[in-house]
Amino acid sequence: MLNTSTKKMTKKKTKQITKFFQKNIAGKKVVSLFIITNLVYVFMLTVTIPKTMEFSNGMKLLDMLPMGYDFNYVDQLCNTLGEIGRKTYLSNQIPVDMVYPLLFGISYCLVLAYFLNKLDKLKTVLAYLCLLPLLAGAMDYAENIGIIAILNSYPEIDHSTVAITSSFSLLKSMITTLYFVILIISLVALGIRTLGIGKSTRSS
């Protein structure tokens, strides 16, 4: 009985998720969100991150360390940045990075949904994979909150805050990597399917 009810609930949730995606995966909407998201990303890479790194003496910002970091690195970075650098981090990079995770989560969620729909897999449990960018975005927000706490508390940095923030950075990186692997597999599958259909059409 429990397994049956669980399956019914899973099917119901899958249908709800699928309906939401199908309403929002129009080509123009997906492309528009994708472009806006990547414009914000390029802005961070070319403007806010370089501006903050002017004070870091070549040290990478915490946002740029996918494998995490330890207390010594964080302490050295904050010290190297100096007061102006830390304020620049808080007033330039962080505000933009509080917008990007939401855009990333929504746009890349719909991108995968779009391709899964093309593969006729959106009405299956594979639809849940589309939620990975939203989860990565949530990890990014948690990371940002931790970075804000670290920058504001310096020089009294809490070891546990660093450890937790580093964990969120690592989780964000792992989830994002998993998502792009799945996206690439989906694109390859769609390419193979398209080529197969093309060959069968020509042969007939």
Side-chain angles (χ1 to χ4, degrees), residues 17-35 106-118 122:
I17 292 172
T18 300
K19 284 182 180 179
F20 171 78
F21 288 146
Q22 288 178 328
K23 287 180 180 178
N24 293 281
I25 57 173
K28 288 183 179 179
K29 181 181 287 187
V30 174
V31 171
S32 297
L33 279 169
F34 181 81
I35 291 172
I106 295 174
S107 63
Y108 281 88
C109 171
L110 295 180
V111 165
L112 183 55
Y114 177 84
F115 289 115
L116 286 180
N117 189 55
K118 291 288 185 181
L122 191 57

Side-chain angles (χ1 to χ4, degrees), residues 159-194:
H159 282 74
S160 60
T161 301
V162 172
I164 293 170
T165 305
S166 177
S167 296
F168 283 128
S169 297
L170 182 59
L171 284 170
K172 179 190 74 172
S173 173
M174 291 171 63
I175 295 168
T176 303
T177 301
L178 176 60
Y179 167 79
F180 279 109
V181 169
I182 293 169
L183 181 61
I184 290 169
I185 292 172
S186 300
L187 288 171
V188 171
L190 183 60
I192 292 171
R193 179 175 173 174
T194 303

Side-chain angles (χ1 to χ4, degrees), residues 2-149:
L2 183 60
N3 288 335
T4 303
S5 61
T6 302
K7 287 180 181 178
K8 286 182 178 179
M9 286 181 66
T10 302
K11 285 183 179 180
K12 186 177 180 181
K13 287 181 180 179
T14 303
K15 285 182 179 179
Q16 290 173 342
I17 292 172
T18 300
K19 284 182 180 179
F20 171 78
F21 288 146
Q22 288 178 328
K23 287 180 180 178
N24 293 281
I25 57 173
K28 288 183 179 179
K29 181 181 287 187
V30 174
V31 171
S32 297
L33 279 169
F34 181 81
I35 291 172
I36 292 170
T37 299
N38 283 281
L39 283 175
V40 173
Y41 184 61
V42 170
F43 180 74
M44 284 198 297
L45 289 179
T46 58
V47 179
T48 60
I49 289 176
K51 186 174 182 179
T52 306
M53 286 188 67
E54 288 177 4
F55 304 93
S56 72
N57 196 28
M59 293 184 72
K60 290 185 177 180
L61 304 183
L62 303 184
D63 318 61
M64 303 167 63
L65 296 167
M67 300 308 294
Y69 31 83
D70 58 20
F71 179 86
N72 290 333
Y73 185 90
V74 173
D75 185 57
Q76 185 180 351
L77 175 64
C78 288
N79 181 54
T80 303
L81 284 170
E83 185 177 354
I84 298 176
R86 293 193 299 274
K87 286 182 177 178
T88 302
Y89 202 161
L90 284 168
S91 62
N92 286 267
Q93 169 57 16
I94 293 295
V96 180
D97 202 21
M98 293 300 277
V99 175
Y100 179 72
L102 179 62
L103 289 172
F104 174 86
I106 295 174
S107 63
Y108 281 88
C109 171
L110 295 180
V111 165
L112 183 55
Y114 177 84
F115 289 115
L116 286 180
N117 189 55
K118 291 288 185 181
L119 290 166
D120 299 319
K121 298 295 184 182
L122 191 57
K123 293 183 179 181
T124 69
V125 292
L126 292 178
Y128 285 98
L129 294 174
C130 300
L131 301 178
L132 284 173
L134 295 174
L135 184 58
M139 295 300 104
D140 202 345
Y141 278 120
E143 173 195 62
N144 289 339
I145 292 170
I147 292 173
I148 292 170

